[in-house]
Amino acid sequence: MSQPPLSPIYYFDNNATTRVAPEVVEAMMPFLTEQWGNASSAYQFGQRVRPHLDEARAKVAALLNADPKEIVFTSCGTESNNTAIHSALALHPGKRHVVMTAVEHSANLKYGEFLQRRAYDITYLPVESDGSLDIHLLDRAIRPDTAIVSVMWANNETGVIFPIDEIAAICRSRNVLFHTDGVQAAGKIQVDVRSTEVDFLSLSAHKLHAPKGIGALYVKRRTRFQPYLVGGHQERGRRGGTENVPYIVGFGRAAELAMARQEEENTRVRALRDRLEQTLLGTVPNCVRNGAREPRLPNTSNLGFDFVEAEAALMMLDQAGICASSGSACTTGSVDPSHVLTAMGVSPLRARGSLRFSLGVYNQESDVDYLLAHLPGMIARLRAISPLDAAHPDNDRFDLAAARQRHEQERGPSLAKAGSPTTGG
Ligand code: PLP
């Protein structure tokens, strides 16, 4: 299928996925070309790749200050989250209660709904208006039949960081297993499983400049574990399935790079994010930040623009080559505001006009200049024809469906098809 050539992009959606680092591609290539043997084979051609798997495991472990034996490679962050909760429930059949926050990624929330349909009881903890968690509520939610608590380390939409140390301490004192979804945190901020005692922690390589389709679950050494995928003896019997050697090697290299670049993430990337955010807050009327300023991931900014449809803004941004996202989900015929912003009590009007910008080490000052040169004018244009401002005389001029159709004709399939969730990570 022939595609028009790609025009330059200005990428502000690193929480959805990241560009694969050239160093990662380079590390993977030998295992896609010459060294394609099965690491579990008895002959030398397969056995020769085994040390590379071990090396990658050690690098991923180092990112968390874990022991390599505590790392189980999976296919993605979603599998890691599902596996942790599954393991806790399978090993404690008498305990049918799970606690998670209302702002978890769908990789957790949808598994919670799946469990509810099987008569498990799930408590979804509410959050404060700045996206933070009142840990007293967590303490009160834990019951004698609670099998596991699952709270993300950092939120993918707002970047708000939860007090994982304190949550881990509560779970330990109440003798309840604790899983944290560390998909957005690892590599961006310090994540140390020796100083923060979690039982399980999920990782996803494609948030760290490695390819999609490879993840890991940290399982604390003495935490009992029941596999989710049952099959071969791979991963010391903890996850069946022939090891994805090239991707595991790529993940290892990406973990190594993330450690080396963490300082840059917290200084240069943070400064870019702050310039972007401060300029928009200072120059665009009726623009507010969603979520606490701190503690927050250094790369994430979630901003609400009143009287704007985020989906329309994303289309305009896309036409200028700018990639960003909203937390909204498109269900047939309507746009549902983000579950994260809704849980924070953000009004539907503001939630529908909220955009997430997530930066990364490949962003430059010139990317921020470009965004700042385009976005304020786009917001003004959208507001001038906003169907959300009921008092506006031109309120019937903006036709979202027609805009989407035009957009698809010009740029290919839309960012958001009706019926498919748009929550990109
Ligand atoms: N958890 C969080 C917080 C995420 O942002 C994502 C990203 O989409 C996931 C889990 C799912 O990871 P994956 O895409 O590897 O399944």
Side-chain angles (χ1 to χ4, degrees):
M1 200 171 81
S2 76
Q3 294 265 3
L6 283 178
S7 27
I9 60 157
Y10 300 83
Y11 194 72
F12 294 93
D13 207 13
N14 284 273
N15 288 6
T17 198
T18 56
R19 168 184 167 183
V20 180
E23 296 90 334
V24 169
V25 176
E26 195 190 340
M28 290 170 62
M29 279 313 276
F31 304 94
L32 290 164
T33 50
E34 289 99 34
Q35 300 193 58
W36 43 263
N38 186 330
S40 301
S41 300
Y43 43 78
Q44 281 184 48
F45 180 62
Q47 282 297 303
R48 268 210 302 262
V49 301
R50 171 78 33 204
H52 298 281
L53 276 188
D54 296 342
E55 195 185 324
R57 194 183 304 281
K59 287 175 180 170
V60 172
L63 181 65
L64 308 177
N65 196 18
D67 188 289
K69 289 201 183 76
E70 295 173 313
I71 301 297
V72 179
F73 286 113
T74 63
S75 66
C76 58
T78 303
E79 182 190 326
S80 301
N81 282 1
N82 284 203
T83 301
I85 296 177
H86 160 84
S87 174
L89 294 173
L91 288 170
H92 303 95
K95 297 189 173 188
R96 298 185 65 86
H97 178 231
V98 177
V99 179
M100 59 176 75
T101 75
V103 297
E104 295 301 306
H105 189 271
S106 53
N108 250 12
L109 289 178
K110 291 286 172 190
Y111 196 59
E113 288 170 20
F114 166 86
L115 290 169
Q116 278 177 302
R117 290 194 293 275
R118 278 149 192 82
Y120 287 90
D121 198 7
I122 317 290
T123 299
Y124 300 97
L125 296 172
V127 292
E128 306 292 306
S129 59
D130 64 355
S132 64
L133 185 67
D134 176 353
I135 55 168
H136 297 107
L137 293 181
L138 165 71
D139 200 25
R140 268 183 260 148
I142 295 174
R143 315 189 307 215
D145 66 337
T146 305
I148 187 165
V149 168
S150 180
V151 176
M152 65 203 325
W153 200 302
N155 186 269
N156 46 300
E157 288 190 29
T158 58
V160 169
I161 296 170
F162 285 136
I164 295 300
D165 272 332
E166 291 168 61
I167 296 170
I170 291 175
C171 292
R172 200 142 289 270
S173 74
R174 303 288 298 275
N175 207 16
V176 173
L177 290 169
F178 177 41
H179 163 251
T180 183
D181 176 343
V183 164
Q184 293 293 346
K188 294 178 188 146
I189 55 173
Q190 206 195 351
V191 170
D192 182 339
V193 291
R194 291 233 193 289
S195 61
T196 305
E197 293 215 15
V198 305
D199 292 289
F200 303 106
L201 183 147
S202 301
L203 292 178
S204 174
H206 74 100
K207 313 291 183 179
L208 291 173
H209 303 287
K212 296 151 209 37
I214 182 77
L217 180 66
Y218 158 84
V219 183
K220 193 178 178 59
R221 191 195 295 267
R222 273 183 281 277
T223 298
R224 286 172 62 217
F225 180 71
Q226 169 94 28
Y228 193 50
L229 286 196
V230 181
H233 289 111
Q234 294 89 355
E235 298 299 289
R236 298 172 53 238
R238 293 177 297 176
R239 200 265 186 187
T242 304
E243 298 92 341
N244 187 347
V245 178
Y247 280 48
I248 290 173
V249 168
F251 191 2
R253 184 75 180 107
E256 191 177 40
L257 290 172
M259 282 181 78
R261 291 171 176 171
Q262 199 165 298
E263 161 113 28
E264 182 186 353
E265 187 86 49
N266 284 278
T267 50
R268 193 182 68 79
V269 175
R270 181 189 292 273
L272 286 179
R273 188 273 315 263
D274 287 347
R275 180 160 82 86
L276 182 159
E277 183 172 285
Q278 291 309 323
T279 309
L280 291 172
L281 288 174
T283 56
V284 179
N286 296 316
C287 170
V288 291
R289 179 183 49 249
N290 294 313
R293 189 164 180 276
E294 295 293 342
R296 185 167 52 136
L297 292 175
N299 77 322
T300 309
S301 177
N302 191 311
L303 299 175
F305 300 90
D306 288 351
F307 310 117
V308 167
E309 279 279 6
E311 211 199 342
L314 289 177
M315 283 187 231
M316 275 193 168
L317 286 168
D318 188 25
Q319 273 157 7
I322 299 169
C323 307
S325 74
S326 74
S328 339
C330 270
T331 43
T332 324
S334 70
V335 181
D336 293 331
S338 137
H339 71 280
V340 174
L341 300 183
T342 303
M344 288 160 58
V346 173
S347 71
L349 179 78
R350 180 160 293 164
R352 282 175 63 183
S354 291
L355 297 172
R356 178 190 69 186
F357 303 98
S358 49
L359 289 78
V361 289
Y362 292 112
N363 282 115
Q364 302 297 333
E365 293 284 351
S366 55
D367 297 334
V368 174
D369 292 341
Y370 185 84
L371 178 78
L372 292 175
H374 286 79
L375 184 60
M378 291 175 182
I379 298 292
R381 284 205 296 287
L382 286 168
R383 281 183 176 156
I385 53 170
S386 172
L388 297 176
D389 182 358
H392 198 282
D394 289 337
N395 68 357
D396 58 353
R397 267 178 39 199
F398 185 75
D399 181 341
L400 191 58
R404 186 186 284 147
Q405 208 178 4
R406 262 198 318 278
H407 171 84
E408 290 194 1
Q409 278 160 4
E410 284 166 24
R411 302 269 310 185
S414 165
L415 296 171
K417 284 268 183 226
S420 66
T422 56
T423 354

